[in-house]
Amino acid sequence: MPGGCSRGPAAGDARLRLARLALVLLGWISSYSLTSSATSSTSSASFLASLVSAQPPLSGQCPQLCECSEAARTVKCVNRNLVEVPADLPPYVRNLFLTGNQLSVLPTGAFARRPPLAELAALNLSGSHLKEVRAGAFEHLPSLRQLDLSHNPLWDLSPFAFCDSNASVSTPSPLVELIMNHIVPLTDESQNRSLQNRSFEGIVAAALRAGQALRGLHRLELASNHFLYLPRDVLAQLPSLRHLDLRNNSLVSLTYVSFRNLTHLESLHLEDNALKVLHNGTLAELQGLPQVRVFLDNNPWVCDCHMVDMVAWLKETEVVQGKARLTCAFPEKMRNRVLLELNNSDLDCDPILPPSLQTSYVFLGIVLALIGAIFLLVLYLNRKGIKKWMHNIRDACRDHMEGYHYRYEINADPRLTNLSSNSDV
């Protein structure tokens, strides 16, 4: 082996000289063949043309304030204070991040381009101060699968935002995931006035059911939006839904919403809401979904006589995940009791007025006491007049009674009766 190592440099120099000689001969042969044979020239040209055609097309220019990666098919325009979607987006983009900008309004055809953005699959618009999304804002994006509108002060979401601008054409949207978490509360009074006759719950419901555009949606996230209720038909046009996230809202009941048509639903997140009890209709619908998993942690469950059916259902079902963690929040005597450990005898309704009614009666008592005090004050201030009035009434009654007494004495004495008769004659 040592000898082999000592011969290494000489052998390497010889190989290098041979390689150079081969390159010179190959260049001479190729130049000779190109000048001497038209057929070989044609074939070489066709070969070069095939190589050129095999190369990927030239990529579009990257927008000035963005970062582009053609290898990752990604364009990032993050925290650039953009007021509109860049017009020169490269056609190869699959993942587009427009977060942290000042877009305000997303007009109709905001992503319409020539050539079209045919490969755009994931669009993130979170935290871009979006206040208005107009009809057809996402049309001309045939491959769009994921859309994130979270952390935006949306006060005007068109019912046809996920449809074509031509509302008469019922073309399903390609969206599979729609994320609208933490819609920022409004601070502009003029915008608040525009929402006086409509709620954000209603606005979202109108966009979800318009034209059945989202019937292919698999995931819907509506967490941290201060929802007080769910409109009755908010989920009616989402038959393919598999994951629904409603955690960290203010939902007090699920009585009016139906889950019956969500036959593919796999997960339903209802954690951190204001749910007090689930009624029989809701329990039956959840039990009828073949593969759903329900999450109910951190809700203020009221453990009274209305909880009997839900406790019985929890003991039998396997639908609820982590059901052993569910505890009572009210009444005070039941606080922190585990729902699965309750018996029917523990669940009773005390004949105590609810706090709101107790407050009403207290307020009524205060009002009546105030009226009584005012009445007594008026009597006190007019005590002299009232005393004189009482004396006058007493004197009048005395005179009246004396008249009755005098007539009685006359009628009772026969002598006075005869005298009265003779005087009349």
Side-chain angles (χ1 to χ4, degrees):
M1 292 301 295
C5 291
S6 62
R7 290 195 301 268
D13 291 341
R15 292 172 182 173
L16 183 58
R17 287 194 294 271
L18 289 174
R20 289 176 179 174
L21 179 61
L23 287 175
V24 171
L25 291 174
L26 180 62
W28 178 81
I29 293 172
S30 61
S31 62
Y32 173 79
S33 61
L34 288 173
T35 55
S36 61
S37 175
T39 303
S40 61
S41 175
T42 304
S43 62
S44 299
S46 62
F47 177 71
L48 291 174
S50 65
L51 288 177
V52 172
S53 63
Q55 296 295 323
L58 295 176
S59 62
Q61 183 179 3
C62 187
Q64 183 177 2
L65 297 177
C66 303
E67 299 176 2
C68 303
S69 172
E70 185 177 1
R73 306 289 185 179
T74 300
V75 175
K76 295 182 179 180
C77 310
V78 179
N79 297 325
R80 299 296 185 179
N81 292 322
L82 299 176
V83 296
E84 61 182 6
V85 179
D88 51 348
L89 291 171
Y92 63 74
V93 60
R94 291 181 184 172
N95 307 296
L96 177 59
F97 295 86
L98 294 172
T99 61
N101 290 291
Q102 303 290 333
L103 297 180
S104 184
V105 177
L106 207 60
T108 300
F111 298 90
R113 301 289 186 275
R114 288 192 178 181
L117 304 177
E119 297 186 23
L120 182 59
L123 175 59
N124 193 327
L125 291 164
S126 62
S128 289
H129 295 86
L130 271 176
K131 300 176 183 177
E132 181 180 358
V133 178
R134 296 177 181 170
F138 305 103
E139 61 182 350
H140 306 297
L141 296 177
S143 300
L144 186 62
R145 298 292 184 269
Q146 184 185 74
L147 175 62
D148 192 344
L149 296 173
S150 302
H151 297 274
N152 283 296
L154 281 176
W155 62 272
D156 190 0
L157 179 65
S158 170
F160 303 101
F162 308 112
C163 306
D164 293 334
S165 55
N166 184 5
S168 62
V169 180
S170 180
T171 303
S173 170
L175 276 177
V176 174
E177 297 185 15
L178 177 59
I179 305 172
M180 291 194 295
N181 298 327
H182 202 284
I183 300 301
V184 182
L186 296 172
T187 56
D188 191 341
E189 292 185 1
S190 62
Q191 295 170 3
N192 278 321
R193 285 195 298 269
S194 69
L195 279 175
Q196 286 181 354
N197 296 325
R198 54 180 183 160
S199 62
F200 183 64
E201 292 93 335
I203 293 173
V204 172
L208 292 178
R209 64 175 179 253
Q212 299 184 353
L214 297 176
R215 56 179 176 262
L217 198 66
H218 288 179
R219 176 181 291 273
L220 176 61
E221 296 186 14
L222 296 171
S224 304
N225 286 324
H226 305 287
F227 284 172
L228 296 175
Y229 70 100
L230 291 178
R232 186 181 300 273
D233 54 353
V234 64
L235 305 173
Q237 305 298 334
L238 305 175
S240 302
L241 200 62
R242 298 180 181 176
H243 305 279
L244 177 59
D245 190 349
L246 294 166
R247 75 185 81 191
N248 197 30
N249 281 289
S250 301
L251 297 174
V252 297
S253 175
L254 300 176
T255 303
Y256 299 107
V257 65
S258 176
F259 302 95
R260 187 177 295 109
N261 66 316
L262 304 182
T263 55
H264 300 286
L265 192 64
E266 298 176 3
S267 64
L268 174 60
H269 289 271
L270 293 166
E271 305 100 308
D272 300 289
N273 275 279
L275 297 173
K276 298 176 177 60
V277 66
L278 298 182
H279 297 287
N280 284 339
T282 303
L283 301 178
E285 288 191 358
L286 294 179
Q287 192 64 36
L289 300 179
Q291 50 192 355
V292 70
R293 294 174 299 156
V294 183
F295 300 85
L296 297 172
D297 299 271
N298 300 323
N299 280 282
W301 305 110
V302 178
C303 296
D304 58 12
C305 58
H306 303 291
M307 179 66 73
V308 173
D309 294 331
M310 179 176 170
V311 170
W313 178 75
L314 284 174
K315 291 179 179 180
E316 297 177 359
T317 187
E318 298 299 329
V319 166
V320 178
Q321 305 298 302
K323 59 183 180 180
R325 297 191 299 267
L326 304 182
T327 59
C328 303
F330 301 100
E332 185 63 31
K333 65 179 182 179
M334 302 290 290
R335 187 181 296 274
N336 295 327
R337 291 280 302 274
V338 178
L339 266 60
L340 291 179
E341 298 176 358
L342 299 178
N343 299 317
N344 290 349
S345 58
D346 300 322
L347 300 171
D348 57 351
C349 290
D350 295 331
I352 300 176
L353 294 175
S356 59
L357 195 56
Q358 292 179 10
T359 303
S360 300
Y361 278 120
V362 170
F363 179 73
L364 179 61
I366 293 173
V367 172
L368 292 177
L370 182 60
I371 293 174
I374 294 174
F375 179 72
L376 293 175
L377 180 62
V378 172
L379 291 179
Y380 177 76
L381 295 176
N382 293 277
R383 62 188 182 280
K384 292 183 179 179
I386 294 173
K387 185 177 181 181
K388 183 178 179 180
W389 178 70
M390 291 295 293
H391 283 303
N392 291 337
I393 293 178
R394 185 187 63 183
D395 293 341
C397 290
R398 182 190 303 166
D399 294 340
H400 195 64
M401 292 303 295
E402 286 179 353
Y404 275 114
H405 182 69
Y406 177 72
R407 289 183 182 180
Y408 175 77
E409 289 180 347
I410 291 175
N411 294 332
D413 191 343
R415 294 174 298 174
L416 294 177
T417 304
N418 294 335
L419 179 60
S420 177
S421 302
N422 294 332
S423 64
D424 290 338
V425 173

